[in-house]
Amino acid sequence: MGETVKVESPNPRAAATGVAEQLDGRRLERVEAIGKNLVLSFEGGLVLRSHLRMSGRWTVREPGSVAHGRPWLVLRGSGREAVLWGGPVLELNKRAVRRLGPDILARPPDFNRMVSNIRRIDQSRELGDALLDQRLVAGIGNLWKAEALWGAGVSPWRRLANTTDEEIRAVLDEAARLMRRSVDSGREQRSIYRKAGRPCPRCRGAVRSRGQGDANRTAYWCPSCQPGERGVRLPGS
Ligand SMILES: [Zn+2]
């Protein structure tokens, strides 16, 4: 940070975004982790948001180290270079930071603002879908969404209109607690994520799974511990 950086995009898909040309020769002012987003602020008010999804990776190394492959982005300072491999989400604008909701891993997390963000959107949306919307709350991924909803006993299929502030808050609180514990311990304890068909650790009923939201990401839930809309499929339906 604080240096003027040379910026290149060796990967053709990344080069097509034009991000490197716009950042090249600017001073890197600040780097922040907001949830799973890495947000790099450059002089002139340009903000680069990078989200690694499952496969991306940032590394910092000596300049000119032998590199294989075509990284998405290389930021070169005088003594170090930062290299982004396989970063599927690369967004450059002046509003990236403001567009993200409060960080679930902040100490303490701003639960009031998260709840009010969630209340501002279309209340016919499902809670499980809203939890993954990074503009409302930043940092909750598919795994912790499933675990937090199960922990709080709230169905991912509940429409926001039928969910109380207290229930939303309980889910957010559980997400923050589980994620903080995972970060601090370096371990991931899963109760139901990717355990479809296996017994729920609480009631021994079968864990269910189904795609949710526009991105059709798989939701996991226990219909008896997390009752609610579409949570229990009627016989023959
Ligand atoms: Zn259960």
Side-chain angles (χ1 to χ4, degrees), residues 80-236:
R80 281 276 189 277
E81 62 188 27
V83 184
L84 171 63
W85 299 94
V89 178
L90 204 55
E91 177 185 285
L92 182 65
N93 56 39
K94 301 199 172 196
R95 289 162 295 135
V97 172
R98 257 179 286 149
R99 285 183 47 207
L100 287 172
D103 185 356
I104 191 73
L105 283 171
R107 299 177 194 253
D110 190 347
F111 293 122
N112 290 338
R113 199 150 70 82
M114 294 173 198
V115 172
S116 68
N117 285 351
I118 288 171
R119 284 304 185 205
R120 269 206 302 272
I121 63 170
D122 175 2
Q123 296 298 293
S124 69
R125 280 176 67 183
E126 291 155 351
L127 176 58
D129 180 36
L131 289 176
L132 293 181
D133 188 334
Q134 303 296 305
R135 294 167 301 183
L136 308 177
V137 42
I140 300 181
N142 208 31
L143 185 159
W144 297 116
K145 161 197 152 177
E147 296 293 315
L149 284 162
W150 180 81
V154 180
S155 167
W157 306 104
R158 283 267 287 276
R159 307 238 171 235
L160 293 173
N162 302 330
T163 312
T164 65
D165 282 3
E166 289 69 32
E167 287 168 323
I168 294 173
R169 177 140 184 152
V171 172
L172 293 168
D173 198 69
E174 183 70 357
R177 189 182 70 80
L178 294 172
M179 291 175 68
R180 172 56 59 196
R181 188 179 68 182
S182 166
V183 167
D184 291 346
S185 69
R187 292 177 49 222
E188 242 169 38
Q189 255 178 7
R190 300 176 186 186
S191 299
I192 64 159
Y193 180 72
R194 289 195 176 157
K195 295 193 177 182
R198 311 246 295 269
C200 163
R202 197 186 283 136
C203 73
R204 314 312 292 169
V207 171
R208 302 281 297 272
S209 69
R210 196 187 317 159
Q212 182 171 42
D214 291 341
N216 203 35
R217 303 196 63 193
T218 306
Y220 298 84
W221 81 105
C222 168
S224 9
C225 296
Q226 300 164 267
E229 291 147 74
R230 295 169 65 191
V232 181
R233 200 175 281 176
L234 298 170

Side-chain angles (χ1 to χ4, degrees), residues 47-84:
V47 177
L48 178 70
R49 177 175 80 92
S50 125
H51 189 293
L52 303 175
R53 294 260 170 89
M54 300 305 276
S55 58
R57 178 162 56 98
W58 274 102
T59 59
V60 177
R61 64 184 191 190
E62 301 285 312
S65 307
V66 180
H68 302 284
R70 292 180 165 181
W72 273 62
L73 211 58
V74 180
L75 308 180
R76 189 166 297 134
S78 60
R80 281 276 189 277
E81 62 188 27
V83 184
L84 171 63

